[in-house]
Amino acid sequence: MRKKLVVGNWKMHGSRAANAQLLAGLKEAGPWNADVAVCVPAVYIAETALALTGTAIAYGAQDCSSHEQGAYTGEISSAMLHDVGCRYAIVGHSERRAYHAESDQLVADKAKAALAHGVTPIVCVGETRAEREAGQTEAVVKRQLAAVIHTLGHCTGEMVVAYEPVWAIGTGLTATPEQAQAVHAVLRAQLQAATDRAAAMRILYGGSVKADNAPQLFGQPDIDGGLIGGASLKVADFAAICLAAAH
Ligand code: 13P
């Protein structure tokens, strides 16, 4: 049985005051019988680390550089993330693929850089609405995951995968549990062909996960938790989702 993992992706939200309130609320609401983490804007990682000291809540970043170090203005290396205690780094979020032109190969290189420094990459894959309507969902997610598997090789089993259909992100439209499970089963089979650790790997669902739809989603055999956007910014909502993952 895989222990569920719930990750809050704060995206570009927050302030020192708001974060302190949110983290204090989560500390009070937990712990849960699930792994829980928050991926915060990079400038707030250090304060998040302090706020979460002594709790079971992990923290991470929303991106990392594919480079080791050097003249890459504005970039943050995975060695730096590890240095400040990050357990996770989201890579290949659809917002970065879309707004920062991140290719499948760049995402794979970022995942490799993260693993090289002891940071677990949460690799996001997902189709757009047009791709789903054209019947390309399976082909798209397999292509995105294949680039990562090819680049990581025998380390593939160390990552977390997140299926986030682009049409479900921030829209209030959620994939039905059956739609999500169907894609998760495809991803699991692809991982199984690549690593003998596939059965232990967590595949998260993301896209308008809320307290009321989380139990059904998390009840699917291949959905091992969630990557939560909007609902991770409110203590009660995020705590309820973590609770749903604990059953
Ligand atoms: P929402 O939960 O706001 O739809 O965002 C999902 C997401 O993109 C998490 O990475």
Side-chain angles (χ1 to χ4, degrees):
M1 200 41 197
R2 293 174 290 269
K3 191 172 185 187
K4 295 238 182 330
L5 170 63
V6 178
V7 179
N9 173 10
W10 290 4
K11 306 193 181 185
M12 199 171 72
H13 292 288
S15 65
R16 296 177 76 188
N19 303 346
Q21 257 195 346
L22 177 51
L23 292 169
L26 293 179
K27 260 163 86 164
E28 211 171 286
W32 301 273
N33 185 24
D35 291 330
V36 173
V38 289
C39 287
V40 308
V43 288
Y44 296 128
I45 289 172
E47 277 186 342
T48 299
L50 270 181
L52 293 177
T53 302
T55 76
I57 303 173
Y59 56 90
Q62 299 172 10
D63 184 32
C64 71
S65 177
S66 61
H67 300 287
E68 273 297 302
Q69 61 170 15
Y72 299 102
T73 301
E75 293 267 86
I76 296 173
S77 73
S78 49
M80 294 171 185
L81 297 180
H82 183 259
D83 195 24
V84 293
C86 287
R87 170 108 36 104
Y88 299 101
I90 297 171
V91 298
H93 192 281
S94 61
E95 287 149 16
R96 295 209 60 87
R97 291 181 190 260
Y99 309 143
H100 300 270
E102 293 197 2
S103 65
D104 294 342
Q105 188 55 51
L106 179 63
V107 172
D109 291 341
K110 288 182 171 194
K112 188 173 182 179
L115 277 179
H117 293 281
V119 176
T120 300
I122 301 174
V123 177
C124 301
V125 300
E127 81 288 0
T128 63
R129 180 195 289 268
E131 288 164 340
R132 174 163 281 265
E133 284 169 359
Q136 294 168 346
T137 298
E138 222 178 276
V140 169
V141 299
K142 279 169 112 172
R143 187 202 73 222
Q144 292 171 331
L145 185 57
V148 181
I149 289 172
H150 184 254
T151 298
L152 295 190
H154 68 277
C155 292
T156 296
E158 307 297 320
M159 67 178 169
V160 172
V161 176
Y163 169 54
E164 298 209 309
V166 178
W167 50 271
I169 294 177
T171 58
L173 294 171
T174 321
T176 65
E178 294 73 25
Q179 278 175 323
Q181 166 58 28
V183 178
H184 281 231
V186 166
L187 296 171
R188 180 87 58 203
Q190 192 178 2
L191 293 170
Q192 251 146 11
T195 168
D196 55 11
R197 300 209 39 214
M201 290 178 67
R202 278 148 347 159
I203 308 177
L204 312 182
Y205 169 79
S208 297
V209 177
K210 309 287 177 211
D212 58 352
N213 59 26
Q216 287 75 32
L217 287 161
F218 296 167
Q220 299 297 310
D222 288 296
I223 300 183
D224 308 311
L227 184 52
I228 319 299
S232 72
L233 299 172
K234 291 194 186 129
V235 173
D237 294 356
F238 192 62
I241 293 169
C242 294
L243 192 63
H247 288 293

